[in-house]
Amino acid sequence: MIADLPSLLFNALVWGMATFLVAAGLTMIFGILHVLNFSHGGFFMIGAYVAHSLTNWSAAMANIWGFLAASVLAGAVIGLVGLVVDRAVFRRLAHVDGAYVLVATYALLLVCNGFVKLVWGLNVVSASPPPELFEVSFIGNLVLPHYSLFVVVAGVVVFLALEWLINMTSVGRLIQAIAIDPWMARLLGVNVGLIYSATVIIGFALAGLAGGLLVANQSLSPDLAGIFIIQAFGVVIVGGMGSIRGAFLAAILLGLVDSFGTALLPQMPGVLFFVALAAILLVRPRGLIASGRLS
Amino acid sequence: MSAASLAVQGLFAGYGRTPVLKDVSLTVAPGERHVVIGPNGAGKTTFFRALCGEILPAAGTIRFEGRDVTRLDGFRRVRAGMGRSFQVARIFTDMTPAENVVVALEAGEVSNGTAGWRFATAPRASLRAEAEAILSDLGLAGRGDEPASILSHGDKKRLELAMMLALKPRLLLLDEPTAGMASADRMAAVRLVQRIVAETGATLILTEHDMDVVFHLGTRISVLHYGEIVTTGTPEEIRANSFVKEIYLGRGGHHA
Amino acid sequence: MTLSPAARFLLVLAVLTAAALLLPFVANRGLVFLAGVVAINVVLGMAFNLLFSTAGLLSFGQATFSATGAYAVALLLLRLPDIPFLLALALAAAAGALAAVVIGFVALRRTEGVYFAVLTLAFAELVHVVIAKTSFFGRNDGLTGIPRPRLGPIDLAQGQAYYVFVIVVTALLIACLWWVTHSRLGRSFRAVRLDPMRAAFLGIDVRRRQLEAFAISGACAATAGGLMGPLTSIVSPDLAHWGESTKPILFTLLGGAGHFWGPLVGAVVFSAVEYGTRSLAGASDLITGGLLLAVVLAIPGGLLGLAALLVARLRPNRAGNQPSPPAIPVASTAEGAAR
């Protein structure tokens, strides 16, 4: 048990950063639109399939640059889809009861599932990482697959990029202002509708990017959306809805719970995640970072 | 001690770590009509919420008819005999006025254990008759099938009063009962409250902005200022109190 | 001629039950089997609607209760073959109510916003994982070979006997749910949904009422779930998957959350669509999702809400002739539909 400690910590970090990649866009959209978007997992999944198809398209893509390009392209495609979803769905839900909004985004998730089944079929597909990330390093007994290291780095890079976007750019400050008080922002002449759309596009693009980056983290199947959305919900809620920093911390925390839980209760993987989620919500119902605003 | 309807002792309450109320003590005798006044931000609403059980005080005690209710949930205080209205009337907008009162009557029966088992889904005929009687007493008769949401502002306030009275409370807590009313309606509301108190013998505690209402209704008045009760007395004493004049008139404005 | 609400309800229920019982005379075995599944789904939808439209709680964990009932009946029939079937169903109902009380006790501390939905979802997934990983529950394979039991002298394995039994029990459960919705208890549930603060200051114990609604919903869902095992002869962890929890939501919104019969209309229409598109891989998800999205965006009152709207439009100037509703009408408009 103690001998495994470094590898448990490493697994926690990989789980945490993979989930954070999915949760980042989710919490951002919640911070601005107050929509807990079930379909985020669906668009993440479509992003993964798109990236997979792109890398298989030509042999020239079978290296790390092709892999990154495919992920960015998947993000761009899903970001465009986000524009459509914002116009066709989210805008119409602005004055609808929260329960109906949640159900509407669940309906969108079903549409995503159906789309994946129709286009890519029901079979489980396994994608392999680009050759540069195929190798494995050892530090003592600790096994470090390069692809897992890549996922951790990608998570941290995306986190830092979002921190920069939110805190250092003018668009980010507008987004923060609207998260705090949309009415006041509108009064001050901010084009709130435009910022809403921008947030949805960024959030969706993050889902697509996460799909591309994590394409080799697990096998691809139409069940992918459901698995990740529940984990991402947990991270978003524990972190404090709408808080990117909170989601980052919560992802690491829940990663530790999942990693140690699987070691302690190998016959019931994943159970402790739900127990921890319920326990944390009861103690801190508004999450770790309770402001509920983008931060 | 047992003679008092309500006895508040050394109450501290607020939101988060900032106390709004500081060491508030107040005794209200049975049958008294006690008005709590004070400028905006003095802590009237916080005081009212603490009395109702909407927020729990940080320190101090609240006794109702000698019973310590400081830690009691709001619904248990209602069951003990405290009735409460809201500044903006809260009613069940999707139900008819009669159904609103029936729900209150049924809640009262469940609270005092006289509800019994009932298979039929329609409310007991006696309850329906009682609801109609209360409604017509308050001038809300014959509103039959329309949802309460379409009632006027004043009618909603009266419906809320009807729901309160259905529970036969011995202490009425009214939060700004005339807020948002035209001045003619205000005096009608004052007369209605006076009549109800005379008929039921209930004790009354209210917060109020309008000085006409305050001096018409109140038999005793407490002045809340920066979360402390600065003075309590009869309307005449309050009128004559120079410090109160300073608080109100010194800052300009009859309505503070 | 005006009928009392109870009489009108019993009339509709009798007609529907008779129609369901006559089905085996006109339809093949496959369709009759499907009708049994739909009948169970109707109860699951109505049990959800009791929470959603009457008590104002959005539960995303209803599969927990139907799966609890299904596993309870399956285990009892497999381990204690001599147990009277009605006793097994009653125990399933008790197990469902118990599960609801335990989960509700924790989840109801946070009823606001999406927290309750996500908490119930988390608990449902917890139950799902536990079922799928415990050998007592047959792990991922579930429990197979569940027999169709005897009911006193009647052998439910014979012919359509079990189908008839399913229809009768679902009719009784629907009657129970109707009674709860329209009784004094249902009125206090609606008071709690419309304004929990006002309800509390009428002396209503809001937490307790919500827990009661949760327990009743759980018991009804568990009883309906208990009917499933002997019908299909297998129970699997899929019954507890969160996708299963969303089906009652779908039936309810599709049919019309503000209407007592909404989940029934939704379940029947949904099953018909699914049956019609069963040969197209992936199409069922697309159609289900598209349908649900269209309902939420275009007709938040659901199919029955749309029908009521059309009827009202077809006879615009006859308000005076309409039969007046009873003195205390029992309209339970869904929050969303009212906006």
Side-chain angles (χ1 to χ4, degrees):
Chain A
M1 176 71 213
I2 297 298
D4 287 343
L5 196 61
S7 77
L8 282 178
L9 292 175
F10 182 66
N11 287 346
L13 214 53
V14 176
W15 188 101
M17 289 307 100
T19 311
F20 172 74
L21 282 171
V22 184
L26 192 65
T27 204
M28 208 169 152
I29 290 178
F30 185 86
I32 298 291
L33 271 73
H34 302 283
V35 169
L36 190 60
N37 182 12
F38 254 113
S39 67
H40 199 79
F43 291 107
F44 157 76
M45 173 173 70
I46 293 177
Y49 273 98
V50 167
H52 181 63
S53 298
L54 283 172
T55 44
N56 282 5
W57 181 46
S58 101
M61 298 284 275
N63 56 54
I64 187 152
W65 301 112
F67 182 81
L68 285 174
S71 301
V72 171
L73 265 173
V77 169
I78 301 300
L80 278 178
V81 174
L83 182 66
V84 176
V85 169
D86 182 48
R87 289 290 147 88
V89 182
F90 287 172
R91 297 232 165 165
R92 291 160 189 248
L93 292 173
H95 302 290
V96 174
D97 182 80
Y100 280 75
V101 177
L102 201 61
V103 172
T105 65
Y106 171 70
L108 267 179
L109 172 64
L110 284 181
V111 172
C112 291
N113 284 347
F115 181 75
V116 165
K117 284 180 192 170
L118 274 185
V119 175
W120 287 284
L122 299 164
N123 294 335
V124 174
V125 182
S126 64
S128 45
E132 291 89 337
L133 297 176
F134 218 86
E135 314 206 344
V136 174
S137 293
F138 295 91
I139 300 178
N141 287 330
L142 181 60
V143 186
L144 299 170
H146 287 186
Y147 180 71
S148 300
L149 285 172
F150 168 78
V151 168
V152 172
V153 172
V156 174
V157 167
V158 166
F159 170 63
L160 293 176
L162 284 174
E163 281 286 297
W164 173 80
L165 175 81
I166 295 292
N167 295 311
M168 302 292 182
T169 67
S170 55
V171 174
R173 285 198 204 96
L174 283 182
I175 289 177
Q176 279 195 56
I178 290 172
I180 292 164
D181 191 343
W183 183 82
M184 195 65 192
R186 190 168 281 139
L187 205 67
L188 294 172
V190 177
N191 188 340
V192 174
L194 196 69
I195 298 292
Y196 275 21
S197 299
T199 309
V200 173
I201 292 170
I202 295 171
F204 272 64
L206 282 169
L209 179 72
L213 295 174
L214 298 176
V215 72
N217 195 43
Q218 67 288 303
S219 45
L220 293 179
S221 78
D223 293 334
L224 192 57
I227 297 165
F228 262 87
I229 194 65
I230 304 263
Q231 289 179 6
F233 269 6
V235 162
V236 167
I237 288 177
V238 167
M241 316 270 282
S243 166
I244 287 166
R245 222 170 278 174
F248 188 74
L249 292 175
I252 295 172
L253 182 67
L254 287 174
L256 288 169
V257 168
D258 187 75
S259 172
F260 281 82
T262 307
L264 290 171
L265 282 172
Q267 66 278 27
M268 294 220 178
V271 162
L272 273 190
F273 167 77
F274 294 109
V275 175
L277 179 59
I280 294 171
L281 274 186
L282 284 174
V283 181
R284 285 191 72 104
R286 310 229 167 264
L288 298 176
I289 294 187
S291 79
R293 286 160 192 165
L294 280 175
S295 54
Chain B
M1 177 188 105
S2 64
S5 172
L6 191 82
V8 179
Q9 201 48 250
L11 195 70
F12 285 81
Y15 311 94
R17 287 198 190 136
T18 37
V20 177
L21 299 179
K22 286 156 244 164
D23 197 18
V24 170
S25 297
L26 181 74
T27 306
V28 179
E32 195 170 303
R33 304 198 301 253
H34 200 109
V35 191
V36 178
I37 61 170
N40 281 333
K44 293 193 297 288
T45 301
T46 308
F47 183 53
F48 195 81
R49 286 188 169 166
L51 291 187
C52 300
E54 207 179 317
I55 56 172
L56 287 181
T61 58
I62 303 169
R63 286 176 176 276
F64 173 59
E65 295 175 348
R67 175 182 173 194
D68 189 345
V69 297
T70 317
R71 297 273 136 206
L72 229 47
D73 283 327
F75 77 91
R76 293 198 189 280
R77 297 189 198 190
V78 173
R79 288 181 177 187
M82 297 166 71
R84 183 253 164 108
S85 76
F86 292 84
Q87 217 173 88
V88 176
R90 294 180 87 137
I91 51 174
F92 303 118
T93 46
D94 278 10
M95 300 181 182
T96 65
E99 206 178 359
N100 267 283
V101 180
V102 163
V103 165
L105 286 168
E106 287 180 335
E109 283 196 339
V110 171
S111 300
N112 60 30
T114 56
W117 165 253
R118 180 166 170 79
F119 179 71
T121 52
R124 226 183 287 275
S126 59
L127 286 189
R128 273 181 289 181
E130 196 178 344
E132 283 304 327
I134 296 173
L135 284 173
S136 62
D137 188 43
L138 295 188
L140 287 167
R143 305 278 178 153
D145 307 327
E146 53 198 25
S149 55
I150 66 162
L151 292 178
S152 70
H153 179 75
D155 283 353
K156 281 182 182 156
K157 285 235 165 205
R158 278 188 289 169
L159 177 57
E160 193 184 40
L161 209 53
M163 293 163 80
M164 258 173 98
L165 294 177
L167 298 168
K168 300 178 185 61
R170 294 184 302 283
L171 173 65
L172 296 175
L173 296 160
L174 306 182
D175 194 4
E176 308 234 356
T178 69
M181 284 187 187
S183 60
D185 295 342
R186 284 197 168 158
M187 281 306 119
V190 166
R191 280 193 295 276
L192 179 63
V193 172
Q194 272 173 330
R195 177 164 70 84
I196 287 166
V197 171
E199 283 171 9
T200 61
T203 309
L204 187 65
I205 299 178
L206 64 152
T207 63
E208 185 54 61
H209 251 74
D210 187 282
M211 288 302 143
D212 279 344
V213 174
V214 170
F215 288 105
H216 264 96
L217 258 183
T219 55
R220 272 176 84 76
I221 296 171
S222 287
V223 183
L224 205 56
H225 187 52
Y226 287 117
E228 292 173 69
I229 288 191
V230 290
T231 182
T232 296
T234 62
E236 293 71 33
E237 287 164 1
I238 297 298
R239 263 189 229 271
N241 187 308
S242 58
F243 185 54
V244 176
K245 273 185 198 160
E246 193 189 305
I247 293 172
Y248 271 86
L249 306 177
R251 288 154 200 251
H254 186 64
H255 295 290
Chain C
M1 183 194 75
T2 47
L3 288 171
S4 77
R8 225 178 327 164
F9 163 74
L10 287 173
L11 193 67
V12 174
L13 185 64
V15 169
L16 289 170
T17 308
L21 290 177
L22 289 175
L23 192 69
F25 294 104
V26 293
N28 62 35
R29 288 189 73 89
L31 274 179
V32 173
F33 172 81
L34 189 65
V37 175
V38 171
I40 291 169
N41 278 331
V42 167
V43 176
L44 297 183
M46 286 182 167
F48 166 79
N49 203 24
L50 174 73
L51 283 180
F52 182 61
S53 297
T54 307
L57 296 167
L58 174 61
S59 162
F60 256 89
Q62 290 299 94
T64 302
F65 311 128
S66 43
T68 299
Y71 271 89
V73 166
L75 283 168
L76 287 168
L77 289 181
L78 288 172
R79 308 237 161 178
L80 304 168
D82 292 328
I83 191 171
F85 189 40
L86 291 180
L87 178 62
L89 277 182
L91 289 173
L98 184 69
V101 168
V102 170
I103 291 174
F105 192 76
V106 181
L108 282 169
R109 292 170 62 114
R110 302 290 150 201
T111 52
E112 77 270 30
V114 291
Y115 285 99
F116 184 74
V118 174
L119 266 178
T120 50
L121 181 64
F123 275 113
E125 271 307 286
L126 177 61
V127 170
H128 175 227
V129 175
V130 170
I131 288 178
K133 304 289 178 192
T134 309
S135 40
F136 182 68
F137 297 117
R139 293 176 179 275
N140 274 320
D141 301 329
L143 303 169
T144 52
I146 300 155
R148 289 193 180 171
R150 295 188 68 85
L151 192 69
I154 309 162
D155 185 358
L156 292 176
Q158 291 295 316
Q160 300 291 1
Y162 191 70
Y163 171 75
V164 172
F165 179 77
V166 167
I167 295 299
V168 171
V169 173
T170 48
L172 287 174
L173 287 170
I174 290 171
C176 276
L177 283 165
W178 189 89
W179 182 81
V180 171
T181 308
H182 295 83
S183 67
R184 178 173 63 206
L185 190 61
R187 272 192 291 280
S188 63
F189 287 167
R190 273 190 297 140
V192 167
R193 165 173 72 84
L194 289 169
D195 190 340
M197 176 86 99
R198 177 72 270 177
F201 283 103
L202 292 176
I204 293 174
D205 187 342
V206 171
R207 273 281 305 279
R208 182 167 165 183
R209 284 286 169 276
Q210 288 172 330
L211 204 57
E212 282 167 359
F214 214 51
I216 293 167
S217 177
C220 287
T223 315
L227 294 170
M228 196 62 103
L231 185 68
T232 58
S233 86
I234 178 173
V235 295
S236 75
D238 286 348
L239 289 176
H241 188 263
W242 65 278
E244 232 25 60
S245 294
T246 55
K247 279 192 182 164
I249 303 177
L250 201 137
F251 301 148
T252 300
L253 294 191
L254 181 60
H259 303 264
F260 181 78
W261 295 106
L264 180 133
V265 173
V268 170
V269 169
F270 175 78
S271 303
V273 170
E274 205 179 42
Y275 186 74
T277 58
R278 65 195 180 283
S279 54
L280 309 164
S284 81
D285 274 345
L286 266 186
I287 289 167
T288 314
L291 206 61
L292 189 57
L293 199 57
V295 166
V296 173
L297 289 177
I299 43 166
L303 293 173
L304 282 181
L306 186 68
L309 213 66
L310 289 177
V311 168
R313 205 165 283 176
L314 280 176
R315 40 175 200 186
N317 297 320
R318 291 180 50 196
N321 297 342
Q322 276 173 7
S324 60
I328 306 294
V330 280
S332 55
T333 328
E335 283 183 41
R339 279 162 204 195

